Amino acid sequence: MEKGSAYQHTLQLPITEFPMRGDLAKREPAMLEKWESEDYYGQLQDLGRAQNRPTFVLHDGPPYANGNIHIGTALNKVLKDIVMRSRSLAGYHVPYVPGWDTHGLPIELHVVRALGPKRQGMTVSEFREHCAAYALEQIDIQRSQFRRLGVWGEWDNPYITMKPEYEAVQVRLFGDMVEKGYVYKAKKPVYWCADCQTALAEAEIEYGDHRSPSIFVRFPVKDGKGILAEDDTYVVIWTTTPWTIPANLAIALHPLYDYIVVKTERGNLVLAKELAKGVLEELGLEAKEVLAEFKGEQLEGVVCTHPLMQRDSLVILGDHVTLEAGTGCVHTAPGHGHEDYLVGLEYGLDILSPVDAEGRFTEEAGPYAGLTLNEGNKAVTADLEKSGDLLKMDFVDHSYPHCWRCKHPVVYRSTDQWFISIDKFRDAMLEAIEGVQWIPSWGIDRIRGMVADRGDWCISRQRIWGVPIPVFYCTCGETIATRDTIDHVAEIFSREGSNAWFEKTAQELLPEGFTCPACGGENLEKETDTMDVWFDSGVSHWAVLTTRDGLRWPADLYLEGSDQHRGWFQSSLSISVAAKEQAPYKAVLTHGMVVDGEGRKMSKSLGNVIAPEEIWKLYGADVLRLWVSSAEFRGDIRISPDILKQLSDAYRRIRNTARFLLGNLHDFDPNEHSVPYEQMEELDRWALMQLAKLSRKVRTAYEKYEFHIVYHQIHQFCAVDLGGFYLDVLKDRLYCDAPNSKERRSAQTAFLAIIKELAQLLAPILVFTSEEIWGHLPEQVRTEQSVHFSTWQELPGEYWDEDLDRRWAEFLEIRRVAAKGLELARTDKVIGAANESRLVLYADEAKRDVLAAFAKDLRLLFIVSEVEIKPLEEGGAALYSEPGLAVDVFRADGEKCQRCWKYFAEMSGDENHPHICHRCLEAIEA
C-alpha cells in the first residue's frame, strides 16, 4: 500500500528490534565479550557432562607460534569450529583443546636477530628463556585472533609443546621407541664452519650479505625413458654454490609443476614453464619452439649425464622445489643440503660429501681434491665452460649463513644424526591406515603411498630451542639410552622443563649412582641435538588426549590441510603405531589450500593476499565463516574481494529472511496463538515440508562434513523457497488479514517453526548471527540461554508429507510459467505491479485439475487480482506458452482497494470506508 495511506495504521506490518544491517564488525566483539566473561564454552562443557552426552574428540593440529594467523589458518580453525558446533547440536559433548607448536628454527632465528650482540654473552638456558617468552607472546596474538573468528575452546588452558608436562610425555614416548629398537644414529648434512671446524646449530647461524657465483648449467639427457628425446636435450639447473656440483647425484622437479622443452640455440632445454621466459631472457637465448610440455611427475626417473664426473644424475621429485627463483629444476647434492638429503633418502641416493673438516675437497671429488671451496668454485665453473655446459655465470649478492663465532660463511656437510627406522614398523603403519576413515577417500591412497615409499625419519636437529634428545655418551664409546635413564630425564622435565638438560650435568640428569654399563665409568656427556619439531607435534595425541579429563584416545577426528599427509598426519601415525601399536585417529579429514579468485597461490609479490583481519573488519567474522562453508573445501578454496562481496550479499539475504520472519512474529504468543498442524493453511504446511526437507539435508551434510551443501541448501531455501515464493505470497495475509485470523496465525505458527530451526541449522556457521536470531525468538521457545547450548530436535513427523509436496511441485511449475507471462506483460507496460493483473491460464486437462485443487487461493498464490482458467485450445494467441499451458495477462477490471491494492468488481459499500474491499473491511472491524 502507498506510504502515508489512511489505512497504513490498520495493517499488521513487521515490527522487530532485530536490525536490518548486521553491522557485524561492531556487534560481534560485544557478543564475544559476553561469551568470554560468562564462560559460554565452559557452560557448554558442563551441560554436556550433566546430560551425559557421548563425547566427540577433534584433536587440534598445533599451528606454529610465530606471526599473525593467515587466511589458511583461519580456514582451518573455522572448519574445526563448524565440526564441533554441529556435533554439539547433534547431541555430543565436544571438548576442544587448541594447541601450539612452540619449538624450532623460526623462533630461534627471530630471537637471535632480536638479541643481536647480547646473544653472545648468554648461557643456553638464558637464550631458551627468551625463545619461550617470544613463543608465549605469539600465542597470545594468535589466540585473540582465533577467538575473534568465533571459535570456542579451552583458550585459557591450551596445550603448548614447550610445557614441562608435555615435554615429559614426549621424552617417554621417545623411550618407548628406543626400547623397541626403532631409534638409531647415522649420517646427515648439517651446517659446518671450516674455520672453527665444528658443526653448528641453527641458533649459531647469523645471516649476512654475501657475494656468491651464480651459474646456470645444462645436464645432458642420457635416458629419456621414452618421455624426453636424448638428442641435444638438457635439464637446466641454477646454483649459487658451484663447489657442490661435483657432489651432484640428482635433479629435483616438483611433481605438480608444469615443465616445457624449449628449442634454443644452446639445445632443447627443460625448464619450469612458469620460469622459462625469465630464464631464457637471463641467458640471452631465444625460444624458437616449445617442443613438449609435461607435469614434473611424468619426468621422474629420467637419467642425465653429470657434465663433469663420470656418473649419472637422476631426475627425482620433491615438494621442496619452488618457483621463486632458478629454473624449477633443482641441483641435488644429498651430502650438502637438508632438503637434498631428505629427498635423497627417499630415493636411496648416497650421502656424498667430498669435503673435509677444514673445508677442502677430499679424494671423492676427483680432480678437485685438495682445493678449498673458493678454489673449487672457480675450477668447477672453468671446467663447465670447457665442456660447453655452462649457460651463464654471474654473481649475486644475497643473504647467506655465517658462523656467529668467527663470522665466516658456512657450508652444509654430512655428520651423524638420529633416526627412527620406519622400515621396522612400516607394515604396521600400513595396516593401521586401513582402519582409518579418510575423507575424501583418495586420502588413503595418498598417505599409503607416502608411508610405503618414505625413508627413515631423521629426528635430530642441531638447534638449541627444542626438546633435547635424552641420550648420554661415555668416553669408552658407549651410547646410553635405557628405559630407566630416559624415564628419569622425563621425570625431571615434568618438574623443571627441558631447560634442566642445559642447566644440569649428565650425572645430575641420570639416576643416582648411575655408571656406564659397559665400563663402569662416570665420565658421561650429554647429547647436544634436539628433536625435530614434527616429533614434538607428533606426540600431541598422547600428550593431550590421555592426560586431560574429558578427552579420550584415539581421537575421533584430525582435520588439517592436505599437505599434512606428508606432515602431521604421518608423524602422529608413525609415533602412535611405533609406541602404541595403533593409529591415533579414527578419521582424517583434509582441506585444500586457499588460492585467489583466479586459482593462483597466495603471494605477497602478486598482491593477492587477503588477511583474515581485513575480512572481519570489513564484513565481520560471520561472513568469513560463510566463505569457509561455501566452498567444497576438499579441493583448493578460492577467495577474492569479488567472492567476499558475493558472500556478503548472500549473508544479507539470509539475515533479511530472518528479520522478516521475526518481524511478523511481533504479536504472536506461541502458547495462545499456535494453530494445530491439521488446521493450518495448506500453503503453510507446504512450507513446513520444505523446512523438514531442508533440515534433513543440512543435518546429514553436517554429519558428512559437506558444509558447502549446508550453505547452498540454506541460501536456496531463503532465496527461493521463502523469498522467491512463500514469504512474498504471504504478505497479503500477514499484513491485511485481521490480526487474530486463523489464516494469519497459521502463517505465524509456520514462521516460528522455520526461524527456530533455521537459527539452529545456521548456528555452526553463522555463530554470531544465529545467536542474535535466537535472542529475538519468543522466550517460550528458547529452550536454552544460547542457541549454542541447544540441540537439534526431530521435527514433528507430520511435517513430512510427500503427497502434499508432489501436489505443490506441480502447481509451482504452473506458477513458473505464469510468472514469465507476467514479466512479459510488465515489460510491455500492460501492467505495473502484479496486483494490477487479470491472469488468464489456458491449460490442458491435467493442469486444469492441478489448478482446481488450489481454486480458492489462486489470487493469493499468483499475487494477482483475478485468475481465469480456460481450455488450452483457446489460447492460440496467448502472450506466452509452454507445452500444456499458455498465459495471457490483462489489466484487472474494477476498482483498486486502498488498503490491500487488489482490484475488485465491487467494494465493501461501507459508508465510512467505501474504497476498500469486503475482506479489508472485516479486518478493520475485527
Side-chain angles (χ1 to χ4, degrees):
M1 61 154 278
E2 296 172 8
K3 191 172 182 181
S5 163
Y7 293 100
Q8 184 169 351
H9 69 283
T10 70
L11 301 175
Q12 283 64 247
L13 296 176
I15 299 172
T16 179
E17 294 180 1
F18 185 80
M20 179 183 296
R21 287 177 55 83
D23 207 9
L24 298 178
K26 294 180 180 178
R27 191 169 283 117
E28 289 173 347
M31 208 173 293
L32 277 174
E33 188 176 341
K34 177 179 173 65
W35 289 347
E36 290 172 18
S37 65
E38 299 183 20
D39 189 19
Y40 270 39
Y41 170 78
Q43 289 188 52
L44 178 61
Q45 303 317 302
D46 292 343
L47 192 64
R49 286 187 289 268
Q51 295 176 351
N52 200 27
R53 297 184 187 181
T55 300
F56 180 87
V57 176
L58 186 159
H59 181 47
D60 187 38
Y64 195 67
N66 187 27
N68 293 315
I69 67 171
H70 54 75
I71 195 66
T73 328
L75 168 82
N76 177 262
K77 273 293 191 289
V78 169
L79 284 173
K80 290 172 181 174
D81 195 54
I82 292 173
V83 169
M84 299 306 275
R85 290 179 185 276
S86 60
R87 286 295 190 268
S88 177
L89 280 153
Y92 286 89
H93 173 50
V94 286
Y96 175 61
V97 181
W100 272 276
D101 201 356
T102 49
H103 290 127
L105 178 62
I107 288 175
E108 201 169 310
L109 289 179
H110 176 89
V111 173
V112 167
R113 287 193 297 267
L115 289 173
K118 297 178 186 175
R119 165 72 181 95
Q120 296 187 30
M122 284 185 179
T123 64
V124 170
S125 184
E126 287 170 340
F127 175 78
R128 284 169 54 90
E129 286 173 2
H130 281 276
C131 290
Y134 175 74
L136 290 174
E137 288 173 8
Q138 299 306 298
I139 287 172
D140 284 343
I141 291 168
Q142 293 185 2
R143 173 165 37 208
S144 68
Q145 293 171 336
F146 288 138
R147 280 175 150 164
R148 180 63 187 85
L149 292 170
V151 178
W152 283 8
E154 290 192 30
W155 294 116
D156 294 331
N157 187 27
Y159 78 86
I160 299 174
T161 60
M162 66 181 186
K163 282 187 174 181
E165 63 271 21
Y166 188 102
E167 294 176 326
V169 173
Q170 181 172 335
V171 168
R172 290 190 183 99
L173 283 175
F174 174 80
D176 291 343
M177 300 172 83
V178 169
E179 195 171 28
K180 293 181 178 182
Y182 295 154
V183 181
Y184 69 96
K185 201 169 190 181
K187 197 176 182 185
K188 172 187 176 287
V190 295
Y191 285 121
W192 188 266
C193 178
D195 188 65
C196 299
Q197 294 191 34
T198 183
L200 299 177
E202 297 281 2
E204 298 171 306
I205 295 298
E206 292 180 348
Y207 283 83
D209 292 338
H210 184 70
R211 189 170 176 79
S212 299
S214 164
I215 61 172
F216 288 87
V217 182
R218 64 180 195 178
F219 280 61
V221 174
K222 173 182 175 182
D223 180 0
K225 301 296 181 184
I227 303 292
L228 293 179
E230 289 83 7
D231 184 38
D232 201 27
T233 302
Y234 308 86
V235 179
V236 181
I237 66 96
W238 170 75
T239 182
T240 57
T241 54
W243 64 267
T244 61
I245 292 290
N248 174 279
L249 296 178
I251 302 168
L253 312 183
H254 194 289
L256 302 181
Y257 291 167
D258 295 315
Y259 290 83
I260 57 174
V261 183
V262 189
K263 184 176 181 180
T264 75
E265 53 267 46
R266 294 296 298 273
N268 304 323
L269 308 181
V270 177
L271 301 161
K273 182 178 180 180
E274 188 171 323
L275 297 173
K277 182 180 177 184
V279 170
L280 293 176
E281 289 176 357
E282 174 81 11
L283 299 178
L285 299 177
E286 178 187 353
K288 297 180 179 179
E289 182 182 356
V290 175
L291 301 175
E293 181 172 336
F294 308 96
K295 287 289 185 187
E297 60 189 0
Q298 295 175 264
L299 300 178
E300 184 180 25
V302 166
V303 180
C304 294
T305 298
H306 194 296
L308 298 181
M309 314 299 283
Q310 298 299 308
R311 62 170 178 265
D312 295 335
S313 185
L314 181 68
V315 174
I316 61 177
L317 303 179
D319 289 341
H320 66 286
V321 179
T322 72
L323 298 175
E324 292 178 7
T327 65
C329 309
V330 176
H331 152 55
T332 301
H336 292 301
H338 180 64
E339 288 85 2
D340 296 26
Y341 169 78
L342 293 178
V343 76
L345 283 181
E346 292 182 22
Y347 283 88
L349 302 178
D350 291 338
I351 311 304
L352 176 61
S353 183
V355 176
D356 66 16
E358 296 180 356
R360 290 183 178 273
F361 282 111
T362 65
E363 294 300 321
E364 287 183 296
Y368 308 105
L371 297 180
T372 67
L373 301 188
N374 281 335
E375 292 168 344
N377 273 338
K378 296 171 184 175
V380 167
T381 303
D383 288 348
L384 287 169
E385 181 77 53
K386 289 177 190 174
S387 71
D389 294 306
L390 182 68
L391 296 176
K392 183 174 181 179
M393 188 268 188
D394 203 344
F395 288 90
V396 61
D397 294 316
H398 62 143
S399 180
Y400 190 84
H402 292 67
C403 173
W404 73 285
R405 296 186 185 96
C406 68
K407 310 304 180 185
H408 288 165
V410 300
V411 298
Y412 252 115
R413 177 172 175 263
S414 291
T415 60
D416 286 338
Q417 301 293 323
W418 286 97
F419 291 85
I420 290 173
S421 175
I422 298 297
D423 267 343
K424 291 189 176 181
F425 54 90
R426 189 189 310 276
D427 290 344
M429 285 179 70
L430 291 169
E431 184 179 346
I433 286 168
E434 300 299 321
V436 174
Q437 180 187 10
W438 299 91
I439 311 166
S441 58
W442 53 256
I444 191 171
D445 296 326
R446 183 173 171 84
I447 195 163
R448 188 194 287 132
M450 288 178 174
V451 169
D453 297 338
R454 75 166 290 180
D456 287 348
W457 179 7
C458 177
I459 61 162
S460 54
R461 295 293 182 268
Q462 289 65 53
R463 295 175 185 152
I464 292 174
W465 180 232
V467 177
I469 295 177
V471 174
F472 300 87
Y473 302 99
C474 181
T475 52
C476 75
E478 182 74 2
T479 298
I480 300 166
T482 68
R483 181 82 263 177
D484 286 345
T485 63
I486 292 172
D487 283 350
H488 192 75
V489 170
E491 182 60 31
I492 292 172
F493 282 11
S494 72
R495 297 192 307 268
E496 305 176 33
S498 59
N499 266 8
W501 187 263
F502 303 95
E503 295 167 347
K504 295 178 182 293
T505 65
Q507 286 297 338
E508 289 173 323
L509 291 163
L510 287 162
E512 187 175 352
F514 185 89
T515 58
C516 172
C519 71
E522 297 181 358
N523 190 12
L524 305 174
E525 294 182 353
K526 298 173 289 184
E527 171 62 73
T528 58
D529 288 353
T530 56
M531 293 190 201
D532 178 12
V533 292
W534 286 110
F535 197 97
D536 289 19
S537 60
V539 306
S540 63
H541 58 88
W542 195 257
V544 178
L545 303 185
T546 66
T547 63
R548 298 240 184 172
D549 291 341
L551 300 179
R552 65 159 192 270
W553 186 92
D556 290 296
L557 184 69
Y558 272 34
L559 195 171
E560 304 296 334
S562 54
D563 56 335
Q564 295 307 316
H565 287 109
R566 186 183 296 278
W568 189 55
F569 299 155
Q570 197 170 149
S571 65
S572 300
L573 181 70
S574 301
I575 294 168
S576 184
V577 170
K580 304 301 174 184
E581 302 178 354
Q582 183 181 340
Y585 35 65
K586 297 176 184 177
V588 172
L589 174 61
T590 57
H591 60 78
M593 301 298 107
V594 180
V595 296
D596 71 9
E598 298 175 22
R600 298 176 302 174
K601 183 178 166 185
M602 290 288 183
S603 164
K604 289 182 180 177
S605 62
L606 291 174
N608 60 356
V609 174
I610 298 177
E613 188 174 10
E614 295 176 42
I615 301 173
W616 72 57
K617 283 185 174 179
L618 183 61
Y619 294 112
D622 264 358
V623 171
L624 188 152
R625 295 176 67 101
L626 197 63
W627 162 72
V628 171
S629 73
S630 69
E632 166 48 291
F633 63 80
R634 292 162 175 82
D636 286 344
I637 304 101
R638 298 192 177 208
I639 191 169
S640 69
D642 285 344
I643 290 171
L644 290 169
K645 176 67 169 60
Q646 292 165 14
L647 284 160
S648 177
D649 291 343
Y651 169 81
R652 195 175 298 113
R653 164 66 77 176
I654 293 169
R655 184 177 185 89
N656 287 344
T657 300
R659 185 171 189 271
F660 184 87
L661 293 168
L662 290 169
N664 281 287
L665 290 171
H666 65 91
D667 64 341
F668 184 74
D669 182 328
N671 295 335
E672 290 185 24
H673 301 139
S674 293
V675 177
Y677 177 82
E678 64 277 5
Q679 296 176 26
M680 292 175 72
E681 294 295 302
E682 187 170 303
L683 175 59
D684 301 320
R685 286 187 277 127
W686 170 85
L688 293 178
M689 174 59 177
Q690 306 321 299
L691 178 68
K693 290 196 295 183
L694 173 75
S695 182
R696 185 175 294 186
K697 289 175 185 174
V698 165
R699 294 186 195 188
T700 300
Y702 274 126
E703 184 180 357
K704 294 181 176 180
Y705 310 114
E706 294 173 337
F707 306 140
H708 63 293
I709 291 178
V710 174
Y711 163 76
H712 289 291
Q713 287 293 327
I714 290 178
H715 183 256
Q716 179 167 326
F717 179 72
C718 291
V720 178
D721 293 340
L722 298 185
F725 171 56
Y726 180 60
L727 302 185
D728 205 22
V729 163
L730 277 188
K731 286 176 183 175
D732 181 77
R733 192 202 303 175
L734 290 164
Y735 299 171
C736 300
D737 275 11
N740 207 32
S741 72
K742 186 170 77 68
E743 291 82 4
R744 184 167 177 273
R745 295 306 189 193
S746 171
Q748 290 177 310
T749 303
F751 276 24
L752 184 59
I754 291 168
I755 190 58
K756 182 183 178 185
E757 184 70 9
L758 201 55
Q760 290 182 293
L761 294 177
L762 285 168
I765 297 170
L766 300 183
V767 293
F768 298 100
T769 304
S770 60
E771 184 81 326
E772 195 180 356
I773 293 170
W774 189 262
H776 285 83
L777 292 177
E779 190 173 341
Q780 301 95 314
V781 299
R782 276 182 277 153
T783 50
E784 300 288 350
Q785 175 188 357
S786 165
V787 68
H788 303 298
F789 297 165
S790 71
T791 55
W792 288 319
Q793 304 299 315
E794 286 300 316
L795 292 174
E798 58 197 3
Y799 287 9
W800 195 269
D801 188 335
E802 294 182 2
D803 288 340
L804 179 144
D805 195 44
R806 175 187 47 76
R807 191 166 65 252
W808 276 83
E810 292 171 350
F811 169 77
L812 289 172
E813 177 58 21
I814 294 173
R815 191 178 188 274
R816 178 190 65 79
V817 178
K820 290 191 174 183
L822 288 164
E823 188 57 38
L824 286 173
R826 191 175 289 110
T827 302
D828 293 343
K829 310 289 189 197
V830 174
I831 58 169
N835 271 339
E836 299 173 1
S837 310
R838 176 167 66 90
L839 180 67
V840 181
L841 300 175
Y842 306 94
D844 62 21
E845 186 175 357
K847 289 182 174 56
R848 290 201 303 274
D849 289 344
V850 171
L851 289 165
F854 295 88
K856 76 179 182 69
D857 293 321
L858 288 179
R859 293 203 309 176
L860 172 74
L861 295 174
F862 286 111
I863 317 179
V864 297
S865 289
E866 189 176 351
V867 181
E868 289 183 61
I869 312 297
K870 295 185 177 182
L872 179 62
E873 51 271 20
E874 295 182 22
L879 180 63
Y880 179 77
S881 66
E882 289 188 15
L885 185 66
V887 182
D888 252 336
V889 179
F890 304 95
R891 193 164 185 84
D893 297 324
E895 184 181 349
K896 179 180 178 181
C897 172
Q898 295 303 301
R899 185 170 179 271
C900 71
W901 291 8
K902 283 190 166 50
Y903 287 76
F904 296 90
E906 66 175 46
M907 289 293 149
S908 65
D910 184 86
E911 61 180 15
N912 295 319
H913 305 287
H915 301 297
I916 64 172
C917 65
H918 291 284
R919 186 274 305 261
C920 286
L921 180 63
E922 291 174 7
I924 289 173
E925 291 176 343

